[in-house]
Amino acid sequence: MKIKAQMTMVLNLDKCIGCHTCSIPCKNVWTSRAGAEYMWFNNVETKPGIGYPKNWEDQGIYQGGWTAENNRLALAAGGRVTKLARIFNNPHLPQIDAYYEPWDYDYGSLITSPVKKHQPAIRPRSQITGNSMEIQWGPNWEDDLAGVCETGAADTNFAGLDAQKYLEFEQAFMLYLPRLCEHCLNPACAASCPSGALYKRDEDGIVLVDQARCRGWRYCVSGCPYKKVYFNWKTGTSEKCIFCYPRTESGMTTLCSASCVGRIRYVGVILYDAERISQAASAADPKEIYPALVDMMLDPNDPKVLDEAEKQGISEAFLKAAQKSPTDKLMRKWRLALPLHPEYRTLPMVWYVPPLSPIQTGTENKNPDEALSDMRIPVKYLANLLAAGDEAPVRRSLKYLMALRAYMRSLRLEKTPDKSILDQAGLDGKLDEATVLEIYDLLAIGKHKDRFVLPTAPTPDQADMRMTQGEKGFE
């Protein structure tokens, strides 16, 4: 057993309001310079839709991630020989139109315009060529289902469903999907790089790009199935989300998490067995990847795990953070959160709590399974998005959330807690009153110190500094 620590994030889609407040500080701090205009390390997509860049989920187009044959992993876009043969022609690389050609306006012409009969106007101007252009796509083009009548049918998450039925006005549904780099345990971007410029930090698992080694081959862009590596056309190197490591190293959370008005984000540490990465990623059936991924995660409160982790050099700060980690609870302990497209076999470490949605008919005499099948958002759609098409883990998570809501309603409104709700959920006896209250405290009213638990490196002057500012009472 080889124990490693990994920085992780969980996003509660049940609370995301699609305000994009997470994207703006990230953009202002990390990509506000020439060549990075079109980069959005964090963006919020409206589902259904093809996303940003266009059709990023369609690996038939981009060949991102891994494939597995006879329990052997291989890059979907081909290995070294294939890449060498195509080193000057990468057919799976997204073009600028899949993102958008960045533009600005000549605002000075409005100020210097002479007196005219009509209001002066300005046209968008390409920041790449300097020429006038027509705007045809953008990072939030499908926001709030805008244009979904044209793009929605191409959403790959409709597999097994009648897309046209759910795109009709009466049947339409919507959810917000904030996205960032997954900082995977088995990153295809790093494996795709001929220069070895992408690497996974040993101490916390954050995936970064060494700007000094990057030669701009852009195989990392096509290799990433989530399309969260970008090419800076000005510097000629690739860039990506850095999980705000200058902040996390000081015990502060990421900018996207700190700015989230809905409190949907949770950041923490998990422990996992690195020797099981290949086994989990190469599972014959894609539906087996999520269970294998959960099984890789280790209980940070297990004395045997702690003893072995200390022997292998995991710092006390990381071990303490893992024991209090909100993400460990949501991912491993309660299994409320699920990975985004585990079938890509990269073993992503940014997970999502699936959203509940209105039940379309009366709920009287409905058991939980019937209620789930009658929800506005099809369970199959969520399963395609978060569980490689397997509905079982999605239904399990949604049952927890339904039972939580019903029980807390009986407790807070009716003043008579109905314990039978927990039994009816059919959750193999694991959802007791104490667990329900703990989940409620974290998901509904979680405070800063509960949602973000990060380790910090000890300094000579402050050797006892271990947890976040939130742990010290910061709100």
Side-chain angles (χ1 to χ4, degrees):
M1 181 168 60
K2 186 176 182 181
I3 301 178
K4 291 289 185 183
Q6 172 72 42
M7 296 295 299
T8 56
M9 183 183 295
V10 169
L11 298 90
N12 185 0
L13 299 185
D14 204 35
K15 297 175 68 177
C16 182
I17 61 174
C19 64
H20 300 271
T21 307
C22 51
S23 301
I24 301 306
C26 175
K27 181 67 177 174
N28 288 339
V29 171
W30 301 121
T31 60
S32 57
R33 59 191 179 282
E37 299 91 346
Y38 77 104
M39 297 183 193
W40 293 86
F41 289 173
N42 183 104
N43 70 297
V44 182
E45 299 174 3
T46 298
K47 290 292 185 182
I50 60 176
Y52 176 81
K54 293 179 181 178
N55 301 110
W56 66 267
E57 293 167 289
D58 191 344
Q59 302 312 321
I61 297 175
Y62 293 121
Q63 299 293 303
W66 302 84
T67 60
E69 295 183 6
N70 300 322
N71 293 325
R72 291 180 61 88
L73 285 172
L75 289 169
R80 294 183 179 180
V81 175
T82 303
K83 285 181 168 53
L84 182 62
R86 297 175 176 175
I87 200 161
F88 295 110
N89 176 33
N90 185 348
H92 307 302
L93 189 69
Q95 302 300 305
I96 189 65
D97 289 341
Y99 301 96
Y100 64 94
E101 189 170 354
W103 72 86
D104 61 3
Y105 300 91
D106 182 13
Y107 295 104
S109 63
L110 295 179
I111 301 174
T112 59
S113 173
V115 177
K116 295 182 177 180
K117 183 178 180 180
H118 301 288
Q119 178 76 19
I122 51 179
R123 293 176 55 82
R125 179 181 59 187
S126 170
Q127 290 184 300
I128 298 178
T129 65
N131 300 326
S132 295
M133 58 176 286
E134 293 290 335
I135 301 173
Q136 298 180 341
W137 192 255
N140 60 339
W141 200 261
E142 298 172 308
D143 214 15
D144 297 331
L145 299 183
V148 72
C149 56
E150 295 185 6
T151 62
D155 187 338
T156 60
N157 298 301
F158 277 124
L161 295 169
D162 182 357
Q164 293 301 328
K165 170 186 174 182
Y166 291 102
L167 294 175
E168 294 177 2
F169 179 77
E170 295 82 1
Q171 299 294 328
F173 66 89
M174 184 182 76
L175 66 126
Y176 296 110
L177 181 70
R179 293 208 306 118
L180 64 154
C181 172
E182 298 286 333
H183 296 279
C184 308
L185 299 184
N186 185 35
C189 59
S192 300
C193 179
S195 307
L198 281 96
Y199 64 99
K200 188 172 181 64
R201 297 211 309 186
D202 188 68
E203 63 271 28
D204 55 17
I206 295 175
V207 179
L208 299 174
V209 182
D210 185 341
Q211 294 292 302
R213 297 187 65 175
C214 181
R215 295 295 178 267
W217 294 116
R218 286 172 277 185
Y219 278 111
C220 55
V221 179
S222 54
C224 173
Y226 303 98
K227 292 297 170 279
K228 278 300 175 180
V229 185
Y230 300 86
F231 179 71
N232 188 312
W233 56 270
K234 192 76 170 181
T235 64
T237 58
S238 293
E239 300 179 18
K240 61 178 293 297
C241 161
I242 62 174
F243 211 83
C244 291
Y245 75 83
R247 292 173 56 89
T248 60
E249 288 177 351
S250 301
M252 296 185 291
T253 191
T254 61
L255 285 166
C256 57
S257 300
S259 63
C260 177
V261 298
R263 296 188 177 189
I264 77 163
R265 299 189 184 229
Y266 304 82
V267 179
V269 175
I270 67 160
L271 302 179
Y272 70 95
D273 183 1
E275 291 181 347
R276 301 173 67 177
I277 288 178
S278 178
Q279 178 185 355
S282 60
D285 186 348
K287 295 180 181 179
E288 298 175 357
I289 297 175
Y290 164 66
L293 187 49
V294 174
D295 290 341
M296 285 175 53
M297 300 178 188
L298 304 173
D299 184 354
N301 294 299
D302 186 336
K304 294 181 180 179
V305 172
L306 290 176
D307 182 60
E308 186 62 29
E310 290 177 358
K311 291 179 181 178
Q312 295 186 22
I314 305 296
S315 70
E316 182 185 357
F318 272 88
L319 294 180
K320 286 186 176 181
Q323 290 176 322
K324 297 184 178 182
S325 172
T327 55
D328 178 72
K329 295 177 182 178
L330 293 168
M331 297 163 71
R332 180 193 61 84
K333 184 178 179 181
W334 299 329
R335 302 197 180 191
L336 284 173
L338 301 168
L340 182 64
H341 289 299
E343 69 273 17
Y344 297 161
R345 302 179 184 272
T346 60
L347 308 185
M349 285 289 105
V350 176
W351 289 25
Y352 297 84
V353 176
L356 285 171
S357 57
I359 297 174
Q360 300 184 86
T361 58
T363 60
E364 293 183 5
N365 302 320
K366 278 185 177 290
N367 62 45
D369 287 306
E370 290 176 337
L372 288 176
S373 299
D374 202 28
M375 283 187 169
R376 189 79 173 184
I377 302 176
V379 174
K380 181 63 176 178
Y381 184 92
L382 296 175
N384 290 336
L385 184 69
L386 300 173
D390 187 3
E391 293 188 22
V394 177
R395 287 180 175 274
R396 184 183 187 277
S397 179
L398 292 176
K399 280 184 181 180
Y400 265 84
L401 297 177
M402 287 177 61
L404 169 66
R405 286 190 179 184
Y407 178 79
M408 294 306 298
R409 187 180 299 114
S410 70
L411 177 65
R412 295 297 178 89
L413 297 181
E414 300 169 7
K415 306 299 182 181
T416 53
D418 186 355
K419 299 179 182 179
S420 65
I421 294 174
L422 307 184
D423 299 328
Q424 293 173 1
L427 299 173
D428 52 39
K430 294 183 179 179
L431 192 60
D432 54 29
E433 291 179 272
T435 303
V436 168
L437 293 175
E438 189 177 1
I439 295 175
Y440 172 77
D441 286 341
L442 185 61
L443 292 184
I445 56 175
K447 296 182 179 179
H448 187 284
K449 67 180 180 63
D450 299 319
R451 290 180 290 123
F452 311 126
V453 181
L454 296 92
T456 55
T459 63
D461 297 329
Q462 201 170 15
D464 63 339
M465 184 177 178
R466 291 292 188 271
M467 293 298 165
T468 66
Q469 295 180 20
E471 291 277 324
K472 303 174 188 300
F474 176 82
E475 291 294 340

